[in-house]
Amino acid sequence: MFFRQPNQREESDLNNIPGEPPILNPLPKSPRRLSLRWMLTVPFILQVTFIVGWVGYVTHRNGQQSIENLTQQLIQSVSSQVEQKLDTYLDAPILANHYHRDAVRQGIVSMDLSKRDSQREQYLWKQMRLFPSFTWINLGSAKGDAIGVWRPEKEAALQVSISNASTQYLGNYYATETPGVLTKPLKIESPPYDPRIRPWYKAAIEAQDTVWSPIYLGFTPGTIFIASNQPLYDTNNQLVGVSGIDLSLLEIQTFLSQIDVPGQIFIMERSGLLISSSNREQPSQMVNGKSERLRAIDSKTPIIRDTTRSILSKVQNFDRLQKTKSFYFQDQRSGKSPGKFVSIVPFSHGKGLEWFIVIVVPESEVMAKVEAGNQSTVAFCLVALLVVIFLNMLISNQLADPILRLSQASKDMTEGNFQRRLRMPRILELSNLIFYFNQMSEEIQTSRQ
């Protein structure tokens, strides 16, 4: 009699005799097996961190581009505002000169300045009251006589100056009262005055049209003026004299200082001489005891000086600038000095007036608001990241704990412990799984008993 060897299935059945613990093969170890908690938590945290970081970076980059666009729009808006103000301010003396021209042709104002004329005196006085920005209104005749109305200060009473043969061509000043009546004499100025040899008179005759005089400094330190001059003709188109109106440029400085812009605005001539600035820097300096015009490149204000130097480094000569130019520059000599957005706008107004409006906005002034917004964004992203991680851990625990308990219960069952029952979780799918596991465990326990 011989015996056959049992096959693999029969051997497995023999090893699993009811009532005896099953013989289990140990769980093979593998480094590829990962914890469920790790798989549910770490990849999610990495994904959320990457997404939040990427969104923050894109937001920061788009914010910088938006700021550059908004800065250019701000500069354009300020430029338009300044140009409109200058046009309005400089139109006034040209308009008044046209009034004088028409009044002379119509015979309302006589250009026979060799004698007093109360109608002429009151007309000029009213013109000065009508245009409070004027400092002087001068009439010079072709015979060398002159009359002028002067505003000593902004709120001071007007004075009339007369110079003709009766005064030996010395300037005789008179006080006035409403409506332009001359009262008491105030002073006599020497030497004799002949308007025909004055630059303002000669410039109008040469141009044969309204022309602006060169900018000049007043006797009072810090004052600066420009004159609009108009030749006058009678009904026969014969030259009878020149009308000149002196305009103080300090009003422009006051206007620039009132513009709310995070930077600096200044105006200069094509020669590079400073006219006015928003920080109220005086456009003159003392050189060897004499007051002289200040060049923008020699300004005591660093931002004006550095900007002018940068413009010259790009164009070499102001005469080459014929249209608006905008650029960004950083002063290399200042090391890590923040950059600046610059726009230089050519401005002209009639003959003899060629200026530049320069608007400078430091990057630090603009980026300060951006950095504050970025800090808020970073703080918000961090809070959001922490909240998401916390919620993910809660959800991971809700998923992992029932599965881990089920795994442990399965292990206990393989070791012969069929009495353990699992608590039902709130997750529907896991609840069904554990319900059937408990039922299976109960049936196996009953079967083994």
Side-chain angles (χ1 to χ4, degrees):
M1 183 176 186
F2 57 90
F3 299 91
R4 66 179 180 88
Q5 295 293 330
N7 58 31
Q8 184 176 1
R9 180 175 180 180
E10 292 172 339
E11 184 177 358
S12 176
D13 293 338
L14 292 174
N15 290 334
N16 290 285
I17 299 175
E20 297 293 333
I23 301 175
L24 299 177
N25 295 323
L27 184 67
K29 295 182 179 180
S30 173
R32 295 183 180 180
R33 290 194 176 91
L34 301 176
S35 170
L36 180 62
R37 293 182 187 275
W38 189 93
M39 294 183 64
L40 291 175
T41 304
V42 176
F44 182 81
I45 293 175
L46 292 177
Q47 293 175 18
V48 172
T49 303
F50 173 77
I51 292 173
V52 171
W54 176 253
V55 170
Y57 168 75
V58 172
T59 302
H60 176 71
R61 186 183 62 181
N62 292 340
Q64 287 183 323
Q65 294 177 351
S66 299
I67 285 299
E68 291 182 7
N69 294 334
L70 290 175
T71 301
Q72 293 301 327
Q73 293 177 13
L74 172 64
I75 290 177
Q76 292 176 4
S77 174
V78 172
S79 172
S80 300
Q81 188 177 357
V82 174
E83 287 185 89
Q84 182 179 2
K85 175 63 177 181
L86 290 178
D87 282 331
T88 303
Y89 193 66
L90 297 172
D91 278 342
I94 295 178
L95 180 63
N97 274 329
H98 290 171
Y99 289 163
H100 301 166
R101 177 196 60 191
D102 296 339
V104 170
R105 284 189 173 179
Q106 296 171 11
I108 299 174
V109 173
S110 172
M111 284 302 292
D112 183 8
L113 307 183
S114 62
K115 57 185 178 181
R116 293 274 306 275
D117 185 344
S118 60
Q119 180 177 345
R120 178 176 58 230
E121 294 163 0
Q122 293 180 23
Y123 173 85
L124 296 177
W125 184 90
K126 290 178 181 178
Q127 288 290 303
M128 284 292 285
R129 290 292 299 271
L130 181 62
F131 297 98
S133 59
F134 295 173
T135 303
W136 271 98
I137 292 181
N138 294 297
L139 293 181
S141 73
K143 297 180 179 180
D145 304 320
I147 182 174
V149 183
W150 178 44
R151 192 190 314 274
E153 297 177 5
K154 192 172 183 62
E155 302 298 334
L158 301 178
Q159 299 179 16
V160 174
S161 172
I162 297 176
S163 171
N164 52 34
S166 65
T167 66
Q168 299 180 352
Y169 296 99
L170 301 177
N172 282 241
Y173 286 77
Y174 298 88
T176 63
E177 63 180 15
T178 304
V181 178
L182 275 61
T183 57
K184 61 181 181 179
L186 297 176
K187 63 179 180 178
I188 298 176
E189 275 191 350
S190 58
Y193 182 78
D194 186 349
R196 295 172 298 182
I197 63 174
R198 304 299 297 175
W200 62 274
Y201 190 101
K202 295 167 67 175
I205 298 300
E206 181 180 354
Q208 297 183 359
D209 197 359
T210 303
V211 64
W212 290 98
S213 72
I215 295 175
Y216 65 94
L217 300 176
F219 292 106
T220 304
T223 57
I224 183 171
F225 302 93
I226 190 172
S228 174
N229 309 302
Q230 166 83 47
L232 304 174
Y233 300 90
D234 61 13
T235 54
N236 297 322
N237 206 30
Q238 296 295 317
L239 180 71
V240 292
V242 172
S243 170
I245 298 177
D246 289 31
L247 188 67
S248 172
L249 298 181
L250 293 182
E251 292 290 334
I252 298 177
Q253 193 172 74
T254 302
F255 165 73
L256 294 180
S257 65
Q258 293 173 348
I259 298 179
D260 184 17
V261 58
Q264 185 74 244
I265 309 170
F266 64 95
I267 302 173
M268 62 181 179
E269 296 183 272
R270 283 192 176 271
S271 61
L273 294 175
L274 187 65
I275 298 174
S276 186
S277 62
S278 57
N279 69 338
R280 294 178 175 268
E281 181 179 10
Q282 289 191 4
S284 61
Q285 61 182 346
M286 298 300 296
V287 179
N288 298 325
K290 183 180 178 181
S291 181
E292 294 184 357
R293 294 281 305 280
L294 177 66
R295 296 193 308 165
I297 200 170
D298 297 327
S299 171
K300 296 180 180 179
T301 305
I303 191 172
I304 296 178
R305 183 177 61 249
D306 296 341
T307 302
T308 306
R309 185 182 296 112
S310 176
I311 294 173
L312 287 174
S313 68
K314 295 180 180 297
V315 301
Q316 304 301 325
N317 193 321
F318 288 120
D319 290 334
R320 297 183 179 181
L321 280 174
Q322 301 298 330
K323 59 182 181 179
T324 301
K325 182 177 180 62
S326 300
F327 60 92
Y328 174 88
F329 84 96
Q330 186 172 17
D331 190 6
Q332 300 297 332
R333 299 178 307 170
S334 301
K336 297 182 179 180
S337 174
K340 300 174 181 65
F341 299 98
V342 180
S343 181
I344 177 168
V345 182
F347 175 82
S348 61
H349 194 282
K351 294 182 179 180
L353 195 151
E354 296 287 341
W355 295 352
F356 287 121
I357 303 170
V358 184
I359 304 170
V360 191
V361 179
E363 185 180 21
S364 58
E365 296 289 339
V366 180
M367 296 305 295
K369 298 180 179 180
V370 179
E371 293 298 332
N374 287 341
Q375 292 177 2
S376 301
T377 302
V378 170
F380 174 78
C381 289
L382 290 177
V383 171
L385 181 61
L386 293 175
V387 170
V388 169
I389 291 175
F390 175 75
L391 293 177
N392 174 259
M393 294 180 67
L394 290 179
I395 296 173
S396 298
N397 289 334
Q398 293 291 327
L399 291 173
D401 286 349
I403 296 176
L404 293 176
R405 289 197 300 269
L406 181 61
S407 175
Q408 183 62 41
S410 300
K411 181 181 178 182
D412 294 342
M413 182 183 295
T414 61
E415 295 176 354
N417 182 7
F418 301 98
Q419 298 179 355
R420 184 173 179 178
R421 299 294 182 267
L422 299 179
R423 180 170 53 86
M424 305 292 288
R426 295 184 178 180
I427 301 174
L428 177 62
E429 289 76 4
L430 292 178
S431 176
N432 292 336
L433 177 63
I434 290 177
F435 171 78
Y436 292 121
F437 177 84
N438 290 337
Q439 187 176 5
M440 179 184 67
S441 178
E442 184 176 355
E443 291 178 357
I444 292 176
Q445 182 182 10
T446 303
S447 175
R448 282 193 176 268
Q449 288 176 351

